[in-house]
Amino acid sequence: MRNDHVIVIGGGVIGAASAYYLAKSGWQVTVVDQGAFGRGCSHGNCGIISPSHVLPLAAPGALWGALRAMMRRNAPFSIKPRLDLGLWRWLAGFARRCTMRNVRESGEAIQALLRSSRTLYDELMATDLHGCEWETRGLLFVLRTEHGMAHFAETDRLLRELFDMLAVRFDGDAVATLEPALKPGLAGGWYYRGDAHLRPDRLMAAWRHALESLGVQIREQCGVTGFVGEQGTARAVRVLARRASEGLPRLRVGLTELAGEAFVVATGAWTPLLNQVLGCRIPIQPGKGYSMTMPRPARCPVLPMIFDEDRVAVTPMQSGYRLGSMMEFAGYDTSLRPRRLALLREGARHYLHEPFTEPVEEEWYGWRPMTPDSVPIIDWSPAYRNVLIAAGHNMLGVSMAPATGKLVAEMFGGGVPHLEARAYSLARF
Ligand SMILES: Cc1cc2nc3c(=O)[nH]c(=O)nc-3n(C[C@H](O)[C@H](O)[C@H](O)COP(=O)(O)OP(=O)(O)OC[C@H]3O[C@@H](n4cnc5c(N)ncnc54)[C@H](O)[C@@H]3O)c2cc1C
């Protein structure tokens, strides 16, 4: 299949990494995106590359947490109750998986992608990805109450005993000695040395540069609406192209077809909108998160941190400073709610001497592609033998992208798969 044309649908971090490894293994690649490359969920996220984030969300006790969240207004985790069959099916799938067996099985599948990606990032940063503000300083979880410490101690035990993921524990003010941007009087924290961080929009710019250097074509404002094919083989994608007419501010819309020998569907949280053309029911719900980006404070943290009890993540980037998080199951809701952004500020206030600065450079939301077991889907479409789905990377798409892209290229014949692809199959649903 070498030198044949593959069309990657979706220019997020998963589509970009897939396009990169496909181009490296000899394919002629085109990436198409309904909007602008890199402007979906991969744009304003927290940029933490986190091999320590192994545990799936569905775990014993998590169901009660989810149900309680449905009752509370303004909780960092919220579900908007509504008559949406997809949401209720998703919640039922989540409920079924709130077991230790799921923690073990899903955790193994997640860890394989995280570990491999962390190693691949080291290679990529040394070769083809430049200017991403890449730093390998680890990740610090900070707790402000003894209750939070006791709860996290259980998380740490699971990570250590089941996944060999070791952390250093800091009690009381020792955590503020490690990270002087923290206030005194906090309960403590856990430090995971192997994590890293970067600036996500710069990462996407670096992917774009690397792809264009490899001859990959990027076509923006091209929404894929379906496939053209026969006998289970797709021959082309149907594209709704929107482009500005010459000299006129109005957009022109046109239907066109793009021919290819193979196709990758890397459409993140939008993937279930293609259910009919893919011939299956993709169990992904958009999990909306928010971030705000500001100039670096004078007492800027050195380490990226997660304030677990308030569900706020802090990323100190070389050219800025970001607070992010929240998880709203509210469908494809496009509102940027000020109350949600205020929760980020209020959460960070408990921990940091200088929790935020002015002016705010960007307020942002993104839809995480959430699956019920926290494991991505990397599998062939039941409708077409040459259409591969790579979506559902939950809260860890940036952390899992390189290994996903490599596996995608391998599944298209680019070598023996370096990971067991069965763990990501659609058959598990
Ligand atoms: C607040 C927040 C913080 C986060 N922090 C982290 C973090 O620290 N570390 C981490 O690893 N992950 C983090 N994540 C998760 C991460 O951002 C996502 O998992 C990841 O970006 C998903 O990448 P993707 O390529 O699958 O989706 P996207 O980046 O959303 O890309 C999908 C693309 O497909 C395009 N598309 C959709 N439908 C079509 C169509 N029909 N035709 C053409 N194009 C289409 C879209 O326009 C979009 O560009 C965070 C997420 C949020 C919201």
Side-chain angles (χ1 to χ4, degrees):
M1 285 170 113
R2 303 301 167 82
N3 281 324
D4 283 350
H5 187 197
V6 60
I7 295 176
V8 176
I9 307 160
V13 72
I14 300 301
S18 302
Y20 174 85
Y21 285 102
L22 284 162
K24 282 274 184 185
S25 58
W27 287 82
Q28 192 198 321
V29 186
T30 300
V31 178
V32 294
D33 198 288
Q34 64 187 2
F37 178 89
R39 294 297 299 197
C41 197
S42 304
H43 171 75
N45 62 72
C46 295
I48 301 171
I49 309 302
S50 190
S52 67
H53 263 74
V54 179
L55 299 178
L57 283 185
L63 183 60
W64 286 114
L67 291 176
R68 272 199 309 273
M70 288 175 85
M71 310 298 161
R72 280 173 56 201
R73 283 172 70 83
N74 285 326
F77 179 84
S78 73
I79 302 172
K80 187 173 166 191
R82 59 191 189 279
L83 284 175
D84 171 348
L85 203 58
L87 172 69
W88 289 100
R89 263 201 213 104
W90 191 98
L91 287 171
F94 181 85
R96 270 200 309 281
R97 289 176 172 85
C98 287
T99 61
M100 273 316 289
R101 183 174 164 193
N102 178 60
V103 171
R104 224 172 269 118
E105 289 179 3
S106 295
E108 274 169 24
I110 293 167
Q111 188 169 40
L113 284 171
L114 289 175
R115 273 199 173 143
S116 164
S117 292
R118 179 65 186 81
T119 307
L120 292 170
Y121 265 121
D122 278 335
E123 283 170 35
L124 288 162
M125 294 299 159
T127 53
D128 289 342
L129 295 182
H130 305 292
C132 318
E133 306 189 10
W134 170 250
E135 301 207 40
T136 54
R137 293 177 191 272
L139 173 66
L140 181 62
F141 282 82
V142 184
L143 290 310
R144 63 182 164 104
T145 67
E146 288 309 324
H147 176 75
M149 283 297 277
H151 188 263
F152 199 87
E154 177 56 15
T155 302
D156 180 62
R157 185 188 67 76
L158 284 177
L159 283 171
R160 194 168 5 96
E161 290 179 3
L162 297 182
F163 300 104
D164 202 22
M165 181 55 62
L166 306 181
V168 182
R169 178 180 171 141
F170 290 84
D171 281 294
D173 283 342
V175 75
T177 308
L178 174 70
E179 172 50 79
L182 289 169
K183 287 179 174 174
L186 296 163
W190 270 265
Y191 177 55
Y192 291 88
R193 183 73 198 89
D195 290 14
H197 68 286
L198 46 69
R199 181 163 177 138
D201 51 340
R202 302 274 163 96
L203 172 69
M204 292 313 295
W207 276 121
R208 183 174 198 136
H209 185 263
L211 292 177
E212 286 174 344
S213 308
L214 288 168
V216 172
Q217 275 201 32
I218 297 176
R219 300 181 66 159
E220 300 177 304
Q221 310 301 334
C222 290
V224 168
T225 58
F227 294 94
V228 183
E230 74 280 333
Q231 289 163 0
T233 303
R235 302 279 176 220
V237 280
R238 275 202 197 90
V239 171
L240 192 60
R242 289 186 295 153
R243 52 187 183 272
S245 337
E246 292 255 315
L248 291 172
R250 292 234 318 269
L251 288 178
R252 264 205 334 238
V253 177
L255 264 177
T256 173
E257 285 179 11
L258 274 180
E261 280 70 39
F263 304 84
V264 179
V265 178
T267 44
W270 289 263
T271 310
L273 305 179
L274 295 171
N275 275 353
Q276 224 167 7
V277 295
L278 294 172
C280 55
R281 201 186 276 153
I282 300 284
I284 288 178
Q285 281 290 313
K288 192 178 178 192
Y290 294 79
S291 74
M292 50 203 304
T293 308
M294 296 152 270
R296 285 166 63 87
R299 294 178 84 169
C300 192
V302 173
L303 302 174
M305 286 181 273
I306 293 185
F307 305 144
D308 205 44
E309 288 157 286
D310 295 86
R311 312 254 168 172
V312 175
V314 178
T315 316
M317 303 175 292
Q318 288 159 19
S319 61
Y321 169 78
R322 182 166 290 166
L323 298 178
S325 183
M326 304 291 139
M327 177 70 82
E328 266 178 20
F329 285 85
Y332 294 94
D333 172 30
T334 56
S335 60
L336 192 61
R337 298 209 277 144
R339 181 70 200 119
R340 290 277 160 197
L341 292 162
L343 281 179
L344 293 176
R345 280 209 190 94
E346 284 161 25
R349 219 192 269 273
H350 298 297
Y351 302 83
L352 293 165
H353 286 291
E354 216 178 323
F356 44 83
T357 59
E358 300 283 349
V360 174
E361 288 160 5
E362 186 177 16
E363 294 180 334
W364 175 86
Y365 76 83
W367 293 326
R368 302 177 185 92
M370 303 297 292
T371 56
D373 58 1
S374 304
V375 179
I377 296 161
I378 308 171
D379 198 2
W380 301 100
S381 139
Y384 299 106
R385 64 178 68 86
N386 56 342
V387 174
L388 186 69
I389 302 161
H393 289 70
N394 291 264
M395 303 156 74
L396 291 167
V398 189
S399 303
M400 292 177 169
T404 301
K406 191 164 191 250
L407 183 59
V408 164
E410 290 161 348
M411 288 171 77
F412 274 112
V416 180
H418 76 297
L419 300 177
E420 177 60 76
R422 210 175 26 191
Y424 313 105
S425 83
L426 271 167
R428 69 187 196 268
F429 297 110

